[in-house]
Amino acid sequence: MLRTVVDGQWVSLPGTLGEIRAALSAEDQAAFQRELDEAPLAELPRVAARWALPAAVRESDEELFQRLEAGDYSGVVDSDGRPVGPVEP
């Protein structure tokens, strides 16, 4: 069984591609299959792990990644609670 922490709580995750697929809506099943079909083999574990997360967590992650890509680091802190921003090249 796979487990992770979401909002400070342990959550059990599906442990096979079939279990992930069964936990998804029909629309998400199609998107999951497309992503699997297009992913390089080395990326399959990352793809599976992301889709194994609950839908609300995936959506929250996508919103966060979009915000970070746009340069909005508001509320992002390091493990010591200090605000962080983009790394300058």
Side-chain angles (χ1 to χ4, degrees):
M1 171 188 343
L2 299 175
R3 296 183 71 196
T4 191
V5 176
V6 174
D7 294 330
Q9 301 294 316
W10 281 102
V11 176
S12 295
L13 302 175
T16 68
L17 294 177
E19 289 174 353
I20 294 170
R21 192 174 286 109
L24 299 173
S25 67
E27 181 179 317
D28 282 346
Q29 286 179 8
F32 174 58
Q33 190 60 51
R34 277 192 305 276
E35 194 167 337
L36 286 176
D37 290 345
E38 295 170 4
L41 290 177
E43 291 294 313
L44 289 178
R46 182 195 57 77
V47 170
R50 186 174 68 78
W51 281 96
L53 293 169
V57 175
R58 287 194 316 274
E59 291 168 14
S60 177
D61 284 353
E62 287 302 317
E63 291 169 5
L64 173 61
F65 295 145
Q66 289 174 3
R67 193 167 56 85
L68 294 173
E69 286 177 348
D72 179 359
Y73 283 74
S74 58
V76 179
V77 297
D78 66 15
S79 60
D80 293 323
R82 294 181 300 241
V84 298
V87 176
E88 298 295 325

